[in-house]
Amino acid sequence: MSTPTAKNETSEAKELDLVGKVELRIALTDSDKKLESTLKTYLAPLLLKLASNHMSVRNKVISLCQHINTRIKPPSIKLPVAALLKQYKDCHNSLVRHFDLLYIQEGVDRLPVQERLELLPTLVQGLADNFQDSATHAASLFNVLLKLLHHVVLPLRGSSEDLDLRVKFGLAERSQDAEFIAVWLGKVILFTVPASNSKSCPGLSHADCEFLQLYGKERVWDRANPGGLNLAETKVVSARFLSSGAFVESERFLPALFASADTNSRLSDIGDDVLKRATSAISLEDRSLIQNLYSLYLGAQDLTGPQPVRRSLQTKILPLLSRSKEATRFVPEIAQIVRDALQMQDLNREQSGGAPKLGLETTKLRSQVFAFTNWVARTGSKEDHSALAPTLVNDLRSYIHTQGWPRMDDGTKASISGEISSRNYCYESIGLLAKACPEKVLVDSNLDLLRWLFDSLGTDASGKDISISIEQALSSVLGAFTRDIEPDVEAALTDLLLQNMALRIGEHNSNGNAIVRSTRYAAVRFANRCLPFGNVKARWIDVLALTGGRQERKEVVEEGRRGLDPHWYRNLNPLDRLPNTDNQTSDIPRYRMPDFGALVGCFFKSHDDKESETGRKLGSAYSTAIDFCRCVLLHHALASSSRAPVTDVDWEKNIDAAILNNEESREAVRTYLSTHYHAGGESASMVLVFLEAAFTGLMDQTLVDADRCGKCLLEIFSLGPRSLADNIAPRVTEFRSTILGNRHDPRATASHVFGILAATRQTKTTAIEELLQLFLHKISTWQDAIGSQVHEVHGSILATAYWLSRSKYLRGAYDLSDDTDLAFIKLVLAILGTCRDKELLEAAILAIDQLSMFGTVSQEAIPAPHDIIFLIDKLVERAEVGDEKAVLALGHLAMQCEEDSSESSALTRLTTALYALHEKRQPELQFAVGAALSCAAVGWQSKSLVGLQDVDCGELPKSSQRSHVLATMLEKILNDCKTTKPALRQGSVIWLLCIVQYCGHLPEIQNQLRACQTAFKGFLADRESLNQETASRGLTLVYEKGDRSLKDDLIRDLVGSFTGTSAGLAGNVSGETQLFEPGALPTGDGSVTTYKDIMTLAAEVGDSSLVYRFMSLASNNAIWSSRAAFGRFGLSNILSDSSVDGYLAQNPKLYPALFRYRFDPNSNVRTAMNDIWVALVKDPTAIIDKYFDSIMEDLLKNILGKEWRVRQASCAALAELVQGRSLEKYEKHLNRLWTLTFKVCDDIKDSVRQAAMALARVLTAVLTRSLEAGESSKSAANSMLKEVLPFLLSPSGLESSAQEVQAFSLRTLLQIIKSSNGKVLRPFIPDVVGRLLSLLSSLEPQEINYIHLNADKYGMTAQQIDDVRLTSVKSSPMMEAIERCLDMLDKTTMNELQPTLVQALRTTIGLPSKVGVSRVLVSLSTRHNFIFKSHADSILRALRKYVLDRNDTISTSFAVASGYVARVASDSEILSLFEYCRKLYFDSGEDERHRTISGEIVFATAKHATDRFASLANDILPFVFVAKHDPVERTKDLFKNTWNENVGGSRAVLLYLNEILAMASPHLESPRWSIKHTAAFAISDIVSSAGTDISDSNAKMIWPALEKAIGGKTWDGKEEILEAFVTFAKHTELLKSNPEIADRMKTIILRESKRNNAQYRQHALAQLGEYIELCRTVDWFDDVYKITSPLIQELLDDDHDMDIDSESGGPSSKVTSEKTLANALQTLLGSIDPTCRKPPRLETSLAQTLELVKKSLGKNDRFVQEAVVDGEKALLTKLTPMDCDSDALDAVLADYVPILLGGDNRTEPTRIKAAEACAALAACARKGGRVEEGLKHAIAASLAEERSTLVRQALDRAGRCLSK
């Protein structure tokens, strides 16, 4: 039995034997092929032996591997990579894996592409586990993966093949591998090769970079290194792979984010596209994702961890964080982000050594940081804010101080505008953060931050917009103080606001900083929003806001006024913003009125109990302060008896009305004032301070509205205890200056106050007596008074009248026994009788009024010669001119007339006069008449006198007794109400209203209430709106004063009439009864006038006349607002009664009709219905919600009604109804609503159309908000869009003839497209894009077409105009909308869009639309190529038909589009496109445009689809080469540029020689000259570009085409072909090797030289000379002489012909002739070859030539001289001494000598060449011959005359040649 040791030895031996056998097999392979086969079988098993337990085996294998490494160096040897990879995945031995990986890396690049791609599934499976096993090995595998990705052809995105990729690669079962690959591909996108001194890069750690660089392997990312990768291209292919179906959205989100921020547009485009889809699929509330984003942004703290990503990527990350609420929970990270953003400046300052220089990228990042900060402040939790806000606020403040505060440093400010923008953001962010966490940042006893913000607002002058940001910050923190705040905080805030109210621009604050901006508005705003209404200092701030007058900003003044109005204060601080409050606003501490004593003390009392300095400085606000204190005092007084005035918009008016008309309210005030005054203490003293302040204001001559202060005094004196007046009475004489002053109102008020104060004194003091005597004296001078004296008389009369009337009443002595009193009465009567001055008459009337009212003047007391009749007549006289005071005086005078029914009695006379005033159509006058009648009827029992009794002695003043006057008067008025006379009807109804109002408490009226009701009802159908309003208020009074039965009857009649159940109030009217004056209610095509017209306005309600009666009844006439006694009454008050609510609850059909009529086009109707609506509906929201469907049905029914006003009102009502309500509320009505709206948009009436358009805008706004918020379901959104989009694109929308409709439709469409998400809008994209494209032309202004047709008239070209149109299309909002639609495309939608685009290509007309189509195709090809690729071929085919548009701009646009589409088209389709271009070019006839268009397509393809063009270069470049020789410059440039951009070097033409020749040769015989010439030029260019050594094979291919090209007659440019012909002969061996071709060449060159075309002939002769030089073995003279001799003779004979300019712009005919002659002579001289032409033929040829030369030189032409000298030099150089050894030749050559050195005007170079020719001749001259002799003499003669050194040297050389 064997031992273990033996077994091991046996096992080891076997293994070694196996390895040895493999080694032998490998050693015996004698070829690479055999080695490859052997390795395929044995390499993987061999490497597996590395896992052996025996060291010897492992060493043997390693040794063998070294041998294998040496053998496999040839790259042709393929290795079994697939087997090795599988073995790597299956085996876990590290050594085996190591060697497997070595050979995998070595062999993968040797495999064919298909075999490489087959490795992918195996490679990616288990990659995550491989990384866990060995990061080094995983790095190598990942590197292999990156190499393979370069060869992967991904299927179309969204296709079934694409969706199967995840399963194909095995990633569906192993998602961890997909996640691993996605993560590392993302890191590849982030990766940049680290600098030499760095080991990491932005976004990646040290370990990440080592992984991607294969842990130290060199040049991994050097593409020049074998096996190295191109980093930029690898990133692109990685992004493409990530966008495929192999990964899910969550896996590719982060890599897509990285790619979108890359600077490479190829990569960022892919990233953006993937990111759009991936973002919607992931949750931004995933904490792990948010944590990852923060980690990427901030990097790691340790040096080896990841660095922060680049700023461009940080800028992309922040918007994502700004959409995540979870992101607000990462407090330390947020603080670090903000801190880093603020420190970017410091970093850059350090780097630059000076002022910071922030780039655009940094500025964008900082802006995003601040936006993120705003998001955190708005959405973060309170706990997070508490932890974050203090730190961030301090950092932001520090940043601002770093910039310089309160003013920025000059260097910082000048460096970049972004610093100012950052400063703005800082302020705004501070405000938001402080608002989010006020308790820790803002609200403290010092108010440090708020104080700093106020200081910044006043002193920071960094930029013009900085104040906006600071004010926004202050607005943000405003809310923090609207809550209940501690007393110490409130006190600090109050002091701060007062300090800022005192600051003025130009001054310095407490910190010494200059004030550059007022902070008063912010201070007042804080006072009104943050401090309670009862805070007297806050109200003082409001008063201070009014002291600026006209110099103050309007908003400051307005805010101050609001702060003094409790109604506005409550609106600014509504209940829902106040904690722990109920609906009883009077109990809310914040709303409580200020304490009157504290208020007066603050406003008017200083610490030393004297008038405060602030009181003196109030200026124009003084009276306002007095008024506010007065209102507060009266409010407290009324509230003390539970009669507090309503705190609404008319708060002050409500107080006035209560004090003026209500006896109970007046009594309540009396009680309050008496109680507080007699209580003594602070309350009493403050009342006295207030009186003193009011007195001071009245006496102030500079105060504009001083009379307001006086009226407050009057009110307090009349309602307070008499002892109050005693405090001011001692100063009564101070009234003198005001009473005798020039200002009317203060004078009248001061007189009134004086009268009360003087009358309340128990005895007349001496001062008062003297003052009264002065007044009487002034009055006595009335006849002589002028100017200011009249004012003194006026004041004296009033003061005396007030004093006399009150003093008589208070003393109960009504007689006028006193001479002074009697004198005063006489003076007044005299003034009344004879004076014409209006002011004195006014004073006299007022005096009579006051004396009569208080019983001083009675019927018997009027002194002679005047009597009561005189007095009545004079007052009537004034009343008839509309003097209301005279009317009231009549009424008060009637109180003293005895009751007498006789017609001659004074009372009858007076009342008759009052009745007669009905003819005065002045409503205000009629109300005065009504008040006067009430006084005449019942005296002091009339309620009109309630507010006029300003003194009280316990009983009413004296008046005559009445018994039946009231009844008689009421009967007359009721009868007059039935009259048909309009003036009397109006007067009667007003009088009746006054009688009921002022006397309704008396039995006479109570017994006649039903009669009054009937009378008032009769006026509801009156044509006069005032009569209707008066009747409305009359009915209200009857209702209030009547019993329950009367009230119920009235309500039943009113509501029944309105709803159609009764007509009790309608009166007896027929269908033709005229209710309104023509034009009062215009309808546009007439006006509503009759009852029949009104009936049609609201038939569905019932009696429609009542609708418009209610309109008139409730309309707001200015007359009511001035009459407190009536202003609060009307039918609306009746309808608001509780019993009405019960009635209306059973008749809800009133609400729909009433809601609609609130929007009637007539302003009167609207106002009326709004008033009734307000009265009826106490809770509009609840009522509308309850009857929503009924209202909606009513409006939808009437929107198509017959009456235009109904349709218009329905549109406006619907717009109001749907706004602000949830979509679910009216979703079921949407389809009908849209449909009807669009119908009315086409209404015949313009105003209806406008209302419908307004409704459409509202509906569109609702739609867009729903689309943005995702409120509606997808089906609801689809239904809405189906309605709205067709309308917007219809003739009623974008195609409407009205520009405003077009503009609305366009804005709406853009808004819808902008707001919609892809899912909702995607089904409509094909239709929308198609319509928008067609509308691009429709909406273009017609003026452009006119200018285009008449461009020459405006000094422009049509192309210039087209360029402008093209620019406008590119920037058009419609194109933006189209681009937005394209961004939402998916595969399905693209399939539907493709036919639309083809249709648009076919049917659109006009440049804008066609250019728009091309732009769409460009966008699809560049930005959406994944989904467009499958449609590119069909689009490219369609484009061919329309690229030939007659307009060059359109044609070019389509050509460019073709180039872009070619990017994604198939190779076959691109080849078809190029074939089309070839046909278009060669088969275009003589149409140059077709050839140009062909060039544009080819050029566009080469430019915009470069890689595709390069891959098909062999198929297209030959055509490009040929076409780049087109005679049309534009076409030539296009093809030439294409060729130059895609070919390197001139000899590249030989690569395509066969194809070029095959294409050009057939067209050399084309019947179209342009094509023929193009082909010929191409052949010429082949020869020119082929170089100096053309091979025989190439030459044999070129020769047939060249021979064909040069054939035929001459044409412009053919000389280039001839030149190429000679060049071809020069650079090939065919001339020598092929005699046949040589003969044909000779024939061709001689033939071309014989051409008669003058321009061509000169070049042909020159080329003939060149060709002769190539063929020196042939005697050319005879042939050349035959050609040139007659030509030379002809040219010499034509020497005197006129010189003619060339038609083509070339040389003139003379120049052409000279050059032709010169070339002929030079060629002729060159054709003489002594080696081929021996004597005597040589002598003959020389002689013949000499003869022609002599004749030619006679022209003395420069060209000829140079040519002759050049020819002679060349000729003489060929001669040898042997040639010249004959006498005959010597004699001929001797004749050349004079020609060489003769001639005038030769240039220096020509003379040098002549001398050199002489030297050549001298070298071969025969000794002693004629040539030698002639040369000697000629040289000597020339030297004697020559001055040029160079010429003389040449002549010397020639002479020396003779001496040899």
Side-chain angles (χ1 to χ4, degrees), residues 1185-1253:
D1185 288 343
K1186 183 176 181 180
Y1187 299 106
F1188 183 87
D1189 290 336
S1190 299
I1191 296 174
M1192 178 65 77
E1193 286 296 333
D1194 175 85
L1195 295 176
L1196 293 177
K1197 173 184 175 183
N1198 286 282
I1199 198 172
L1200 298 179
K1202 295 181 180 180
E1203 279 287 336
W1204 67 267
R1205 56 196 302 137
V1206 175
R1207 300 196 299 273
Q1208 184 172 335
S1210 298
C1211 290
L1214 281 169
E1216 175 71 17
L1217 186 62
V1218 299
Q1219 288 191 85
R1221 287 178 171 78
S1222 62
L1223 187 62
E1224 291 80 2
K1225 190 78 175 175
Y1226 54 90
E1227 186 172 356
K1228 62 183 177 181
H1229 302 284
L1230 266 178
N1231 289 339
R1232 188 178 171 199
L1233 184 57
W1234 278 110
T1235 303
L1236 295 177
T1237 300
F1238 299 154
K1239 286 184 179 180
V1240 187
C1241 282
D1242 199 26
D1243 197 274
I1244 192 173
K1245 189 79 169 60
D1246 180 63
S1247 61
V1248 179
R1249 291 197 301 271
Q1250 292 180 4
M1253 291 300 298

Side-chain angles (χ1 to χ4, degrees), residues 700-716:
D700 191 344
Q701 299 294 327
T702 64
L703 198 60
V704 176
D705 47 1
D707 60 296
R708 292 167 58 189
C709 299
K711 290 176 181 177
C712 289
L713 276 177
L714 285 174
E715 201 164 49
I716 300 301

Side-chain angles (χ1 to χ4, degrees), residues 192-385:
T192 55
V193 179
S196 57
N197 59 346
S198 175
K199 295 183 178 180
S200 60
C201 62
L204 300 182
S205 65
H206 184 186
D208 294 336
C209 292
E210 286 187 334
F211 180 91
L212 294 175
Q213 296 181 100
L214 301 184
Y215 294 93
K217 184 177 181 180
E218 295 182 356
R219 301 176 69 185
V220 174
W221 296 101
D222 184 358
R223 65 177 127 181
N225 181 44
L229 289 169
N230 182 333
L231 180 58
E233 193 63 31
T234 302
K235 289 183 179 182
V236 173
V237 297
S238 298
R240 288 176 180 166
F241 185 54
L242 283 166
S243 68
S244 70
F247 300 91
V248 295
E249 304 292 0
S250 59
E251 295 166 350
R252 53 187 169 211
F253 170 71
L254 286 178
L257 177 64
F258 305 156
S260 68
D262 200 272
T263 55
N264 184 348
S265 61
R266 295 174 60 203
L267 182 57
S268 62
D269 288 347
I270 299 172
D272 287 334
D273 183 68
V274 176
L275 190 61
K276 289 177 186 176
R277 294 178 283 116
T279 303
S280 61
I282 57 98
S283 172
L284 290 175
E285 303 304 325
D286 182 355
R287 186 172 182 83
S288 61
L289 174 61
I290 299 301
Q291 179 67 65
N292 203 349
L293 290 175
Y294 275 117
S295 300
L296 287 167
Y297 188 101
L298 296 171
Q301 300 298 323
D302 59 319
L303 296 178
T304 60
Q307 296 183 15
V309 295
R310 296 184 304 275
R311 287 181 179 176
S312 59
L313 182 52
Q314 288 177 331
T315 306
K316 287 277 189 177
I317 291 174
L318 284 173
L320 295 172
L321 296 177
S322 298
R323 293 164 54 188
S324 170
K325 190 170 183 179
E326 183 65 30
T328 63
R329 303 182 185 277
F330 292 76
V331 174
E333 288 82 355
I334 296 171
Q336 185 63 42
I337 287 176
V338 176
R339 192 173 297 113
D340 291 347
L342 298 179
Q343 291 174 352
M344 283 191 287
Q345 171 183 341
D346 299 330
L347 175 63
N348 287 331
R349 179 180 282 121
E350 293 171 3
Q351 292 174 348
S352 61
K357 298 181 179 178
L358 302 184
L360 179 61
E361 190 175 80
T362 301
T363 303
K364 287 182 178 179
L365 176 59
R366 184 172 286 167
S367 299
Q368 288 294 343
V369 169
F370 287 122
F372 176 55
T373 306
N374 293 352
W375 167 261
V376 172
R378 288 190 175 97
T379 61
S381 66
K382 190 173 184 64
E383 295 76 14
D384 294 332
H385 287 157

